[in-house]
Amino acid sequence: MIEVENISKSFGGQAVLKNISTTFDKGKTNLIIGQSGSGKTVLMKCCIGLIEIDKGVVNFDGRNFSGLNEKKKKNTRKEMGVLFQGGALFDSFTVEENIMFPLNMFTKQSIEEKLQRVNDVLSHVNLDNANKKYPAELSGGMIKRVAIARAIAMNPKYLFCDEPNSGLDPKTAERIDDLISELTEKFQMTTVINTHDMNSVLQIGQKIAFIHKGELWWEGDHQEILTSDNPELNEFVFSTELTRRLK
Amino acid sequence: MGLLGEAGDYVMLMRQTFKRPDKGWVFRRQLFIDFYALGVDSIGIVSFISLFMGAIIAMQMAYNIDNPLVPLYLVGYTTKQMMVLELSPTIMSLILAGKVGSSIASEIGTKRVTEQIDALKVMGINPANYLILPKITAAMLYFPVLVVFSIAIGLSGGLLAVYITGSVTVTDFIDGLQAWWVPFDIYYSLIKSVVFAFIIASVAGFKGYTVDGGSVAVGRSSTQAVVASSILVIVFDLILTQMLLT
Ligand SMILES: Nc1ncnc2c1ncn2[C@@H]1O[C@H](COP(=O)(O)OP(=O)(O)OP(=O)(O)O)[C@@H](O)[C@H]1O
Ligand SMILES: [Mg+2]
């Protein structure tokens, strides 16, 4: 479980996060939703310590994280898998080397064991023949899938995904969602996903935090989100023709 | 940000950079890649420029020394001294500041703006140590090698020039190359090249690492890396000369 308590962040006087408190539960897919520019990425980066928070605390399973120095943060970070919004694959490495990288750095596995693991996670994301390709040779969706494979390669306890299925076709997007929720359940990870994709919200939104203008506006699950009477949330959820018909 | 603030940030970054690598073999692999990609790859430009520089210096010296009382072997001697003391270590370093410095700054800067540095950090890796240390170490290894190489090619260029123009006999020129041989001159040259290698690689690493923005910022930082490291090279040339030669 990850606890976020009263965190605030501003950039040059402009408040991006205002006093946000929430929890992300273990074994669940926790979603952060909100419009573009609402602060989802900033919130996620505050949780993993890539952005210094101005105020507040972040705890991982009861252990304080945000107050630690860089050196001490390392230990918790080895238990995290992070998917960045743009993939952030290492451009000088092939797909295989990208996924093998954390294994090289932190395990003493033999090359065969590492290759086995690489192929395991690649087949999870339905990428079987891309081992020797460089990131520049991949499509946008393939980059996302390799990045997910890299994030789960070390069996993380905490998985953070910043828009895992944006830019993917609906079928692949759904497969990625299913994969993440399956892994979350199976390995009892604490998974945090940023998204503005309503399909994902309805499909895997076990716990949903809606961020609006930097504030935590609403919290609930994928049942409650359809029946809420919060006007800003409704505007967000029922913004497309498809979802309006659903209602 | 003021110059002083930037210098402070540079020192902080170097303190993170000079840590023991997490995995020795990963460091050595990266060192090999950087040595090859930047060092071996620079041999062509270094040879080309050194050959011409040596030839031009020899021709200028021959042209200047037309007093019959001045012995002709001085052409060889001055060509050697100029190549060893200044042209090979300093001019080569300035050229490598352009080639190596901009390449390091843009490579690391691109890793910054595409969040690859953040990705390293959240894996629990020290990105400065992982990315910058092998580049600095590699540069400090291949700069002296390239300088020795440049001296050899430069002197051959001089020899070739006097042979073709016939201004000085080859024997005179070679006598000059062998005259008043001071081993310390070579050490001085090598010490300079190691210091310049450190300056260029670390300043470029710093400029790339601290890029803020997108691809435009990467381009700007790589220009800044070349300008800043060239200035520092010349300043340290003066300081080292004062320290070592007087
Ligand atoms: N490093 C930064 N410096 C200044 N402002 C920033 C920085 N990072 C983010 N912001 C600002 O914070 C706000 C929230 O950005 P954020 O990236 O969190 O949005 P988001 O909800 O992830 O949007 P999207 O869905 O488009 O990814 C934006 O207004 C952005 O301009
Ligand atoms: Mg975002």
Side-chain angles (χ1 to χ4, degrees):
Chain A
M1 187 173 78
I2 301 168
E3 293 157 305
V4 171
E5 289 170 16
N6 304 313
I7 66 171
S8 297
K9 177 70 196 176
S10 42
F11 290 105
Q14 186 212 349
V16 173
L17 298 180
K18 297 170 199 156
N19 210 30
I20 292 189
S21 299
T22 186
T23 56
F24 303 121
D25 299 338
K26 186 177 161 154
K28 278 192 187 171
T29 42
N30 302 272
L31 268 51
I32 302 172
I33 63 172
Q35 280 177 1
S36 179
S38 56
K40 302 183 295 293
T41 300
V42 173
L43 177 57
M44 187 172 275
K45 287 190 174 174
C46 285
C47 290
I48 58 186
L50 282 177
I51 294 181
E52 285 287 331
I53 47 182
D54 297 341
K55 199 168 83 43
V57 282
V58 179
N59 296 325
F60 282 73
D61 288 321
R63 297 167 297 167
N64 175 265
F65 176 72
S66 52
L68 300 177
N69 63 22
E70 282 297 317
K71 206 172 159 191
K72 296 205 171 121
K73 278 184 176 145
K74 266 190 172 186
N75 292 324
T76 311
R77 282 185 170 145
K78 287 175 192 169
E79 301 171 344
M80 293 179 193
V82 181
L83 165 68
F84 287 87
Q85 198 162 351
L89 296 183
F90 303 129
D91 47 18
S92 53
F93 289 169
T94 61
V95 165
E96 189 174 287
E97 289 165 339
N98 260 283
I99 300 170
M100 214 185 268
F101 184 75
L103 304 173
N104 283 341
M105 295 306 278
F106 301 118
T107 71
K108 289 201 164 65
Q109 295 175 0
S110 71
I111 184 82
E112 290 80 20
E113 287 171 303
K114 287 186 280 194
L115 268 177
Q116 180 62 44
R117 181 68 190 149
V118 168
N119 290 327
D120 275 358
V121 289
L122 276 177
S123 67
H124 272 317
V125 293
N126 273 307
L127 270 177
D128 286 322
N129 296 312
N131 288 44
K132 302 291 177 203
K133 287 210 161 87
Y134 284 91
E137 301 165 339
L138 303 176
S139 74
M142 288 163 89
I143 288 177
K144 278 264 152 74
R145 286 185 279 159
V146 175
I148 293 175
R150 185 179 68 183
I152 60 176
M154 293 279 286
N155 275 327
K157 272 166 84 171
Y158 314 101
L159 181 64
F160 296 87
C161 301
D162 198 352
E163 310 205 355
N165 51 21
S166 68
L168 299 181
D169 62 280
K171 185 103 192 106
T172 313
E174 193 177 6
R175 210 149 59 199
I176 296 286
D177 281 346
D178 289 346
L179 168 73
I180 294 174
S181 65
E182 254 173 59
L183 293 169
T184 303
E185 166 104 47
K186 190 165 159 202
F187 296 108
Q188 286 296 299
M189 295 190 292
T190 304
T191 300
V192 181
I193 302 169
N194 280 356
T195 188
H196 38 54
D197 183 87
M198 278 314 295
N199 279 325
S200 310
V201 172
L202 298 177
Q203 199 90 38
I204 58 167
Q206 292 178 311
K207 188 161 190 292
I208 303 167
F210 173 57
I211 309 285
H212 183 66
K213 294 187 172 154
E215 286 179 61
L216 181 67
W217 210 257
W218 179 90
E219 274 185 296
D221 65 24
H222 62 308
Q223 303 291 341
E224 292 158 355
I225 201 167
L226 292 173
T227 52
S228 155
D229 52 11
N230 186 310
E232 286 79 13
L233 180 66
N234 277 330
E235 196 185 322
F236 177 81
V237 173
F238 301 108
S239 57
T240 63
E241 182 58 33
L242 204 67
T243 44
R244 274 195 295 275
R245 279 194 201 169
L246 196 79
K247 197 174 191 184
Chain B
M1 197 177 10
L3 205 60
L4 218 62
E6 210 169 354
D9 289 349
Y10 168 82
V11 173
M12 296 281 281
L13 182 67
M14 284 307 115
R15 282 175 53 178
Q16 284 175 47
T17 303
F18 284 89
K19 295 265 164 69
R20 220 181 115 90
D22 287 316
K23 277 274 165 94
W25 70 267
V26 175
F27 172 76
R28 284 190 295 275
R29 185 182 65 180
Q30 203 56 44
L31 183 67
F32 178 80
I33 292 172
D34 288 327
F35 187 90
Y36 199 84
L38 295 172
V40 175
D41 194 52
S42 299
I43 289 178
I45 179 95
V46 166
S47 322
F48 183 81
I49 292 180
S50 304
L51 188 76
F52 276 73
M53 239 165 23
I56 293 165
I57 295 297
M59 284 155 73
Q60 288 177 350
M61 287 306 138
Y63 168 77
N64 279 321
I65 301 174
D66 56 359
N67 185 327
L69 288 181
V70 179
L72 279 176
Y73 69 81
L74 272 186
V75 174
Y77 175 71
T78 37
T79 305
K80 176 187 75 179
Q81 289 304 88
M82 287 187 71
M83 286 309 294
V84 171
L85 294 181
E86 192 61 16
L87 295 179
S88 287
T90 308
I91 303 296
M92 271 317 125
S93 293
L94 290 175
I95 285 161
L96 291 174
K99 184 175 154 65
V100 173
S102 64
S103 144
I104 291 178
S106 58
E107 181 186 330
I108 295 182
T110 304
K111 290 195 193 309
R112 165 64 74 195
V113 301
T114 55
E115 296 184 311
Q116 293 176 55
I117 290 181
D118 288 340
L120 285 168
K121 202 163 159 187
V122 293
M123 283 179 187
I125 290 160
N126 171 350
N129 173 263
Y130 173 75
L131 293 172
I132 305 177
L133 187 62
K135 297 203 190 300
I136 296 180
T137 316
M140 290 170 81
L141 292 173
Y142 63 70
F143 265 53
V145 176
L146 288 175
V147 163
V148 170
F149 197 72
S150 156
I151 293 173
I153 300 263
L155 298 184
S156 318
L159 188 68
L160 207 64
V162 295
Y163 174 71
I164 292 172
T165 60
S167 48
V168 182
T169 66
V170 169
T171 342
D172 274 343
F173 190 81
I174 291 177
D175 276 352
L177 293 187
Q178 290 168 337
W180 298 300
W181 182 243
V182 186
F184 184 76
D185 289 352
I186 290 282
Y187 299 140
Y188 161 79
S189 187
L190 294 181
I191 292 169
K192 285 212 298 191
S193 69
V194 173
V195 173
F196 298 163
F198 176 81
I199 291 173
I200 291 165
S202 65
V203 168
F206 169 71
K207 284 290 176 188
Y209 199 83
T210 52
V211 166
D212 195 6
S215 53
V216 178
V218 174
R220 198 180 322 121
S221 86
S222 105
T223 310
Q224 286 173 355
V226 175
V227 172
S229 57
S230 303
I231 293 173
L232 286 170
V233 162
I234 284 294
V235 170
F236 273 83
D237 192 16
L238 187 82
I239 294 173
L240 287 173
T241 305
Q242 165 68 23
M243 273 168 55
L244 297 173
L245 283 195
T246 51

